[in-house]
Amino acid sequence: MKFLNENEGKNFFCYNNRKKSKDYIEKSILLSLNKDVEIVYLKGRNIESKYNKEFISEALYGLKQYSKFPHLMKIRNR
């Protein structure tokens, strides 16, 4: 619950190491994202993020409407 309260309203751009999209994402999309969007990189099952990896993992696993990457995730405590 603490993580939700501290990060209410934050946006996370999540992408993985799929060869066909990784280079494009890193050279085009990441450079054009708003500076307030946090980046989450999934290298296989390893999460690279400055945020709590357990929470990010649980949040990604719990996505109900999307299971592919890249993905934009917004934290809402509701």
Side-chain angles (χ1 to χ4, degrees):
M1 191 62 124
K2 181 181 176 185
F3 183 89
L4 290 174
N5 290 332
E6 290 175 351
N7 295 288
E8 172 70 29
K10 278 200 177 170
N11 294 304
F12 292 83
F13 180 81
C14 310
Y15 73 107
N16 61 8
N17 60 343
R18 197 174 103 214
K19 285 184 179 182
K20 291 184 178 181
S21 61
K22 183 180 181 288
D23 286 339
Y24 176 76
I25 288 170
E26 291 178 343
K27 292 177 181 172
S28 300
I29 296 176
L30 294 184
L31 298 174
S32 63
L33 289 176
N34 185 299
K35 65 178 181 163
D36 296 332
V37 175
E38 304 296 338
I39 306 301
V40 174
Y41 174 64
L42 298 152
K43 188 174 184 179
R45 292 188 181 261
N46 296 321
I47 296 172
E48 295 182 9
S49 172
K50 65 181 183 180
Y51 290 88
N52 180 300
K53 290 170 182 46
E54 289 178 23
F55 180 84
I56 296 294
S57 176
E58 188 174 324
L60 290 171
Y61 182 75
L63 292 174
K64 295 177 183 167
Q65 306 212 3
Y66 198 83
S67 62
K68 297 181 182 180
F69 292 96
H71 187 70
L72 185 62
M73 177 173 64
K74 184 173 188 105
I75 302 294
R76 287 187 277 186
N77 186 9
R78 293 187 188 184

